[in-house]
Amino acid sequence: MKKKLFGLIAFLSILILAACGGSSEKSDSSNAGSENDGNDIQELTIKFSHVVAENTPKHQGALAMKEYIEKESDGKIKVEIYPNSSLFGDQDEYQNLVANNVQFIAPDLSKFVGQNPQFNVTSLPFAFPSDDEAIAFWDGEKGQEILRSLTDDGVLGLYMWPNGGKHMTNAKKPIEKPEDLKGMKFRTQGGQVQEAIYSALGAGSESIPFGELYTALDQGVVDGQDNTLSNIESKKFDEVQKYMTIMNHNRVDYAVFTNTKFWDSLNEPTKEIIEAGVEKGTEKARSEAKALNDAALETIKERGNVKITELTPEQIEVFKEALQPIYDQFEDEIGADVYEAIRAVSE
């Protein structure tokens, strides 16, 4: 009996060891499979929301980004683009990016002055002569530092997409000198510098979401607004305005922002494709900006709804002098080092 019992115990022990060995081999196989999955492109649907029309540099950049990502991922990554505030508008797109309800937005940079006053850079009067200088600033050290300053909110800025210099429209009279703005009320995108500009010129200002601006102009809620030529033309603001002044007094520039939780969830091959897609979109948006603005001006002229005033260099100098105190007013908030970075690319 003792021999039989000993033999049974030995047999059971062999079975247990064999089972443990099999379990160990299965676990190793599972780990290997997980590592292989990490080298595969993830299947994703990405939402990109913006507030402007399709025939704008921003939308063209978004389309180029979508095309590249979907092609290079063999359709595993889908990119859904929502223009014209069709998903989220000016007032709620940032909150929905923070909540990861949308993975990419490309808002006007002045919308972030509440999070960081250095985003007022785009509103500084006559800071950047053209797109080239603005791009150089945002691609530089100080610009990148500002774009990446929102990570505490779970938001990461990637690249600046230019829209262009702004020009004024209004329903009252031609604007040729600072005094012409006195008593009028203009829409702004928001921000302290925007408000200070109109205050310095004797005008009132009101922040109105871009998607509501046409109606506000049509109903006389404000007398005028300032914007890029492509935005003025694509939204047909010239239908509800009588005068336009070519000024380039400050800018509308966008940047592509993503949600950090989404961004950090991407494995390397997936992130590489999406990063390259954003770069392709950036190239397209930057190359399209000037061409679309030039074409928009010609279209506005052809429609003939507004009287266009193009300021002479001497007239622009008068506006520059009137608005120069704004630089002193906001130096502490924006930073002397940022001013120096602007001068380095603009002079």
Side-chain angles (χ1 to χ4, degrees):
M1 287 295 295
K2 287 182 180 180
K3 288 182 179 179
K4 289 182 180 180
L5 182 60
F6 179 82
L8 178 61
I9 292 171
F11 177 74
L12 290 175
S13 298
I14 292 169
L15 287 179
I16 292 169
L17 288 172
C20 289
S23 175
S24 176
E25 287 175 9
K26 185 176 181 180
S27 176
D28 291 343
S29 175
S30 175
N31 288 338
S34 176
E35 288 173 6
N36 289 337
D37 290 343
N39 292 321
D40 291 339
I41 297 169
Q42 295 163 266
E43 293 190 17
L44 301 169
T45 297
I46 296 170
K47 294 179 181 180
F48 189 138
S49 175
H50 69 77
V51 303
V52 299
E54 288 90 341
N55 55 332
T56 56
K58 186 192 294 189
H59 190 72
Q60 296 306 308
L63 287 175
M65 175 179 160
K66 169 185 170 70
E67 180 180 354
Y68 180 89
I69 290 172
E70 291 185 343
K71 180 180 178 181
E72 293 300 314
S73 68
D74 292 326
K76 288 185 176 181
I77 307 173
K78 307 290 186 185
V79 181
E80 299 175 353
I81 303 173
Y82 297 88
N84 284 310
S85 305
S86 57
L87 184 62
F88 302 115
D90 279 332
Q91 294 174 311
D92 59 356
E93 64 179 359
Y94 185 73
Q95 292 86 343
N96 279 283
L97 181 68
V98 170
N100 202 25
N101 295 328
V102 61
Q103 287 68 53
F104 288 97
I105 61 173
D108 179 344
L109 289 168
S110 66
K111 296 296 181 185
F112 294 121
V113 297
Q115 281 80 22
N116 181 354
Q118 291 181 317
F119 282 104
N120 274 304
V121 162
T122 58
S123 300
L124 288 170
F126 303 101
F128 301 106
S130 73
D131 291 351
D132 292 340
E133 291 82 7
I135 290 170
F137 171 80
W138 289 106
D139 283 354
E141 180 181 352
K142 285 299 171 185
Q144 285 294 302
E145 185 179 301
I146 296 170
L147 286 180
R148 296 174 183 274
S149 65
L150 305 176
T151 52
D152 285 349
D153 286 352
V155 171
L156 177 66
L158 299 173
Y159 292 100
M160 172 272 218
W161 288 10
N163 193 359
K166 292 199 298 183
H167 312 280
M168 289 185 184
T169 69
N170 80 92
K172 296 291 186 181
K173 60 183 177 181
I175 294 173
E176 299 178 347
K177 56 187 182 300
E179 292 78 14
D180 292 335
L181 280 83
K182 285 185 177 178
M184 286 201 282
K185 189 175 184 179
F186 282 76
R187 176 263 183 179
T188 70
Q189 299 102 306
Q192 308 94 326
V193 173
Q194 290 277 345
E195 294 171 2
I197 285 174
Y198 283 105
S199 178
L201 297 174
S205 62
E206 182 175 343
S207 179
I208 297 173
F210 186 72
E212 301 171 15
L213 181 52
Y214 183 99
T215 301
L217 294 169
D218 188 33
Q219 295 178 350
V221 175
V222 288
D223 300 309
Q225 60 89 48
D226 58 6
N227 230 304
T228 64
L229 293 166
S230 64
N231 282 353
I232 293 169
E233 186 278 321
S234 64
K235 286 298 187 180
K236 299 183 178 179
F237 294 150
D238 55 313
E239 292 181 345
V240 289
Q241 300 276 266
K242 295 180 180 179
Y243 306 96
M244 183 168 77
T245 302
I246 304 299
M247 293 185 69
N248 194 35
H249 56 292
N250 55 14
R251 296 182 57 83
V252 175
D253 284 322
Y254 311 122
V256 179
F257 291 87
T258 190
N259 175 279
T260 56
K261 184 177 180 181
F262 158 75
W263 195 249
D264 293 342
S265 73
L266 303 175
N267 63 23
E268 282 307 310
T270 306
K271 183 177 287 188
E272 284 178 9
I273 289 173
I274 295 175
E275 280 183 318
V278 175
E279 290 175 4
K280 291 291 182 183
T282 300
E283 292 172 9
K284 183 67 172 179
R286 289 179 176 183
S287 66
E288 288 286 313
K290 186 179 186 305
L292 285 176
N293 280 319
D294 289 345
L297 179 58
E298 293 307 311
T299 300
I300 293 169
K301 288 178 177 179
E302 290 170 6
R303 290 205 289 241
N305 295 325
V306 292
K307 179 181 179 180
I308 300 174
T309 300
E310 297 197 36
L311 298 183
T312 66
E314 291 76 18
Q315 288 173 316
I316 289 175
E317 283 301 318
V318 175
F319 275 96
K320 284 184 177 181
E321 185 176 345
L323 296 174
Q324 183 59 37
I326 287 174
Y327 281 85
D328 295 332
Q329 181 180 347
F330 289 95
E331 183 172 356
D332 288 342
E333 289 185 43
I334 296 175
D337 55 339
V338 175
Y339 282 3
E340 181 56 37
I342 293 170
R343 285 191 291 269
V345 299
S346 299
E347 292 181 352

